[in-house]
Structures are given as structure tokens and as C-alpha cells.
């Protein structure tokens, strides 16, 4: 599973430490999904302000952070934050993430939330700097968050296998051939007896629970920023894209759509997906994560791109047959094309796109533009401003 992403290996240095614990008192009650007015008192220059928050039925599901100041500076360059997560196997573990909040953020307007996961050897801040998701977040109204994967142990720099994500397939000997290269036995997995230096057993990531980290992070962000909890999207490149499938499998109640790029589940780890929207983006000449279920050149075995799209189509009650989907980026990458399973239940969309390249994202930020196009329909309803009135008392 090596060479999952060509990203800079420079580690970020500036970190903001955010305390875990309950959200501010005015945010603890949350905003219900029924048409209802709630009030919370804040002091503005000696005057008492009455914040009236109106939630529109089935339009948005505001998080508990709505109506309170955000912990994340709107319009600022991506900043690195630290929280402590209680890992099910290892107890308290420091975890890191970067945030880009759009300019003009208001605690009365629930934003969409887009979580984007770097590839093997990647880092959150360089990923934020090298992508253009913040540009589209400004236009469409979503906050971009870039979680940081772990290396050998928390706080240790780049290991031989690098930073990355535990996608739940570690140690499954059906996922790799006997002569597979790129196996790694991280200290965390060795501590749990899941691999040894001489018997790596198809291991290639740490054994920290990254999906639990994501679960905790979504709650944390929603408590400290105004988020539409029905507009939470997960994307990622390579190993980060593979993680998106694991997140969908374990957290379907929190995720609206996944958008993996050059990442597919290892064999037998992508079946029975939940009924959430899906956009896959893959290089047709990829030999690291092949799209046709043939073993990779290192010896790893993945589900095919067509099978994963079909599985999400079944989960969403879409048509089994596909149609050609026209997108704004069709002529911006070599042999770019998308197929869609139409007629899905509800508002779900299921698409799978390919372009003629190997294990690299599309050129010229085509992936980000395609992501924004896909998310636009889901975010149009999110840009519904909650009624806020300020009166002196």
C-alpha cells in the first residue's frame, strides 16, 4: 500500500490546542428540526442581545454550535488544531486537524462540512495548501477540514511506512498476495498482537481507530461551529479515499456522501454500503489501486470501481444500468468520463468517473471542481439563514 500519494512531507509546526468537553452553554440545547424559536442571551457591549434561531423543517439540521462564536477564524489560512481523542484501544491520544472556514461565516448560517483525508505519507496543512477546496467553500458555503493521519506513534515524525489511515483491513490475509511488498507492522499493531516484524500479515497502517477519531471530530466541530449536520461530506485521496469507505460503513448516520479519489476498499471490505451519495474518481491506468479488481503491482487486492458504484446504487435503490453523466470538467482531463446510476431514492446521486492517468489525482484541480459540482445540489438547501434578531433590553 506504499506510494499512496505524492505529497510534501513537511510537517506543520503551529498548533492551536482546543480543549475537549461540553460546548458553550448557549449551544448545549441545540436547534431542533421543527419550526420553532429559541432564545439565547449574549452580552454585546453591555447590551443584552436576544438571538432568535429559527430552524426550517427538513431544510437544515443545525449543530449545537449555531448561535455561539466559532472556535475557527473565518477567512484565515488553514490552521492546525489539536484535540485529545479517547481511542478504544489506547485511551487518550492527541490528534490533529486543519481548518479552513469561509469568509463571512455567521453563527446563524449552518455550513456544510467537508472532511478531506490525505494519502499515505501526507500531512494536513500541505494538503490544505495544495488543494482549492477553500475556494469552493467560499462559493458554496462549506467548511473544509483536513484531518491528520498518524505515523508509527502519536507525536513521532515520518516512519518508514509514513502517516496514514487505518481502514479496518489491517491483518486480513485475504487482502494481499504472499509476496506482497509494502507491508508494515507499526508499534500500535505490534502492541495489540496483530503483527510482528517477521510476520506482518498484510498489515500496512497503524491500529489506532481512525473512524472513531472522525466520529469524535464531527461532534467536536459541530459543537464549536455552526454546521448543517445533514450536509457532512467525506473525501480523500488514495489511502484517504479508502478510509472514506470505512467511515461510510461505520458512521452512515453522520455522512451525506463520500467522494474517494484513487482509493478503493481492499477486497471484502466494501460490501453492503449504506444508502448515502457516492462520487468515485479514479485513474484508469492506476497500478497502485487498480480499478478492475486485479492485484496491484505491490500485491494488494481491491474491490473494483464498477462494483463499488453498483453497490452504492443498490443501497440507494438506483437503476442497475448506467448512463453517461455530463460534468463541467469533461474536457479538462484526458479521456475523462463519468457514468451515473440514475433514478436513486430521495436526493442520492451515484457516479463513478475515470481519466487516463495512473495513481495521481487529475490535473489542474479538476478533482476539486468536480467535487464542488457534485456537492452543489446538497449545499443549495444549506444556505438558508437562520433568523437572528438583536434587541436591547
Amino acid at each position: 500500500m506504499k506510494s499512496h500519494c505524492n505529497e510534501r512531507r513537511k510537517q506543520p509546526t503551529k498548533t492551536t490546542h482546543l480543549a475537549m468537553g461540553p460546548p458553550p452553554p448557549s449551544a448545549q440545547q441545540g436547534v431542533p428540526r421543527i419550526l420553532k424559536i429559541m432564545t439565547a442571551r449574549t452580552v454585546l457591549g453591555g447590551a443584552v442581545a436576544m438571538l432568535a434561531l429559527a430552524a426550517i423543517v427538513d431544510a437544515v439540521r443545525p449543530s449545537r454550535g449555531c448561535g455561539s462564536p466559532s472556535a475557527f477564524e473565518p477567512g484565515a489560512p488553514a490552521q492546525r488544531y489539536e484535540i485529545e481523542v479517547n481511542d478504544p484501544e489506547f485511551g487518550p491520544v492527541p490528534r490533529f486537524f486543519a481548518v479552513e472556514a469561509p469568509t463571512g461565516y455567521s453563527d446563524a448560517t449552518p455550513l456544510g462540512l467537508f472532511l478531506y483525508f490525505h494519502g499515505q505519507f501526507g500531512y494536513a496543512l500541505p494538503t490544505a495548501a495544495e488543494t482549492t477546496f477553500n475556494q469552493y467553500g467560499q462559493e458554496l458555503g462549506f467548511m473544509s477540514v483536513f484531518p491528520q493521519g498518524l505515523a508509527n506513534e502519536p507525536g513521532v515524525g515520518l516512519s518508514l511506512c509514513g502517516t496514514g489511515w487505518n481502514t479496518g483491513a489491517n491483518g486480513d490475509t485475504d487482502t494481499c498476495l504472499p509476496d506482497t511488498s509494502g507491508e508494515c507492522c507499526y508499534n500500535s499493531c505490534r502492541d495489540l498482537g496483530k503483527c510482528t516484524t517477521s510476520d506482518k500479515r498484510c498489515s500496512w497502517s497503524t491500529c489506532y481507530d481512525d473512524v472513531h477519531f472522525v466520529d469524535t471530530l464531527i461532534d467536536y466541530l459541530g459543537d464549536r461551529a455552526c454546521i448543517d449536520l445533514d450536509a457532512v461530506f467525506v473525501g480523500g485521496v488514495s489511502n484517504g479515499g479508502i478510509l472514506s469507505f470505512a467511515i461510510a460503513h461505520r458512521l452512515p448516520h453522520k455522512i451525506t456522501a463520500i467522494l474517494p479519489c484513487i482509493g478503493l476498499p481492499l477486497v471484502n471490505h466494501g460490501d453492503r454500503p449504506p444508502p448515502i451519495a457516492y462520487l468515485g474518481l479514479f485513474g484508469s491506468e492506476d497500478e497502485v489501486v487498480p480499478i478492475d479488481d486485479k492485484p496491484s503491482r505491490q500485491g494488494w487486492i481491491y474491490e473494483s470501481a464498477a462494483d463499488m458504484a453498483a453497490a452504492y446504487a443498490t443501497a440507494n435503490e438506483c437503476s442497475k444500468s448506467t448512463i453517461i453523466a455530463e460534468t463541467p470538467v469533461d474536457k479538462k482531463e484526458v479521456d475523462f468520463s463519468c457514468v451515473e446510476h440514475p433514478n436513486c431514492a430521495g436526493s442520492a446521486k451515484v457516479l463513478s468517473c475515470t481519466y487516463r492517468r495512473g495513481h495521481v489525482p487529475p490535473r489542474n484541480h479538476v478533482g476539486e471542481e468536480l467535487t464542488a459540482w457534485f456537492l452543489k445540489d446538497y449545499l443549495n438547501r444549506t444556505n438558508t439563514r437562520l433568523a437572528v434578531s438583536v434587541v436591547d433590553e
Side-chain angles (χ1 to χ4, degrees):
M1 293 283 292
K2 302 297 288 298
S3 303
H4 278 271
C5 184
N6 297 324
E7 297 191 53
R8 295 184 306 205
R9 301 186 181 184
K10 180 180 178 182
Q11 296 191 59
T13 55
K14 182 179 178 181
T15 302
T16 300
H17 297 268
L18 298 178
M20 293 294 289
S26 63
Q28 289 179 354
Q29 299 176 49
V31 183
R33 293 194 70 187
I34 60 175
L35 188 59
K36 180 176 181 179
I37 299 295
M38 294 177 59
T39 60
R41 293 173 180 266
T42 60
V43 177
L44 298 176
V48 177
M50 301 294 292
L51 299 181
L53 303 180
I56 299 178
V57 180
D58 291 327
V60 295
R61 185 159 60 100
S63 69
R64 298 195 300 179
C66 294
S68 297
S70 173
F72 313 105
E73 182 180 353
Q79 298 184 47
R80 187 174 187 251
Y81 297 88
E82 176 183 347
I83 60 173
E84 188 175 85
V85 175
N86 189 27
D87 188 276
E89 294 285 357
F90 300 98
V93 177
R95 301 300 304 254
F96 304 91
F97 61 96
V99 175
E100 289 179 331
T103 301
Y105 165 85
S106 167
D107 61 14
T109 304
L111 294 172
L113 175 62
F114 181 61
L115 303 170
Y116 188 78
F117 296 84
H118 61 72
Q120 198 91 1
F121 295 103
Y123 285 95
L125 275 178
T127 300
E130 294 166 1
T131 58
T132 57
F133 291 117
N134 191 43
Q135 168 191 332
Y136 295 106
Q138 299 280 359
E139 296 175 7
L140 299 178
F142 64 84
M143 176 185 292
S144 300
V145 176
F146 303 86
Q148 176 62 56
L150 296 175
N152 201 31
E153 293 291 347
V156 175
L158 189 68
S159 70
L160 291 178
C161 284
T163 58
W165 306 103
N166 177 6
T167 65
N170 230 17
D172 182 348
T173 56
D174 289 334
T175 62
C176 72
L177 302 178
D179 58 348
T180 293
S181 62
E183 295 174 293
C184 290
C185 185
Y186 286 86
N187 288 347
S188 54
C189 300
R190 188 178 294 113
D191 291 345
L192 297 177
K194 294 189 174 183
C195 60
T196 66
T197 302
S198 59
D199 182 9
K200 298 184 175 65
R201 305 175 194 169
C202 296
S203 295
W204 56 273
S205 73
T206 76
C207 284
Y208 293 100
D209 193 333
D210 287 319
V211 177
H212 178 74
F213 165 43
V214 174
D215 190 14
T216 302
L217 180 59
I218 292 172
D219 289 345
Y220 188 88
L221 294 166
D223 284 346
R224 287 158 178 81
C226 189
I227 301 296
D228 178 6
L229 297 176
D230 281 341
V232 178
F233 312 98
V234 173
V237 61
S238 191
N239 179 207
I242 300 171
L243 179 66
S244 69
F245 291 95
I247 294 170
H249 181 75
R250 288 177 52 187
L251 304 177
H253 57 292
K254 290 189 173 182
I255 307 301
T256 307
I258 64 168
L259 302 90
C261 176
I262 55 173
L264 288 160
L266 285 157
V267 66
N268 299 327
H269 288 269
D271 56 343
R272 296 186 300 277
I276 62 175
Y278 174 82
L279 171 63
L281 182 58
F282 310 104
S284 60
E285 298 178 348
D286 194 340
E287 296 181 349
V288 176
V289 182
I291 67 171
D292 54 6
D293 73 17
K294 295 179 181 178
S296 73
R297 64 180 181 221
Q298 294 96 345
W300 299 93
I301 307 169
Y302 298 90
E303 299 285 357
S304 75
D307 285 349
M308 289 315 304
Y312 273 85
T314 298
N316 286 288
E317 302 178 23
C318 312
S319 298
K320 291 183 179 180
S321 59
T322 61
I323 60 174
I324 300 298
E326 296 183 359
T327 80
V329 302
D330 287 348
K331 298 181 180 179
K332 296 183 179 181
E333 181 56 282
V334 178
D335 292 341
F336 186 93
S337 65
C338 293
V339 295
E340 178 178 4
H341 288 268
N343 306 317
C344 303
S347 60
K349 296 187 291 185
V350 175
L351 289 88
S352 185
C353 306
T354 58
Y355 52 97
R356 185 154 58 87
R357 298 193 74 188
H359 193 68
V360 289
R363 300 177 180 89
N364 301 321
H365 303 290
V366 164
E368 290 98 307
E369 186 177 352
L370 183 70
T371 295
W373 169 80
F374 184 81
L375 297 184
K376 188 173 182 179
D377 288 345
Y378 296 97
L379 290 164
N380 281 342
R381 64 179 181 79
T382 301
N383 296 324
T384 303
R385 185 174 181 82
L386 299 180
V388 177
S389 59
V390 180
V391 298
D392 290 337
E393 190 176 74

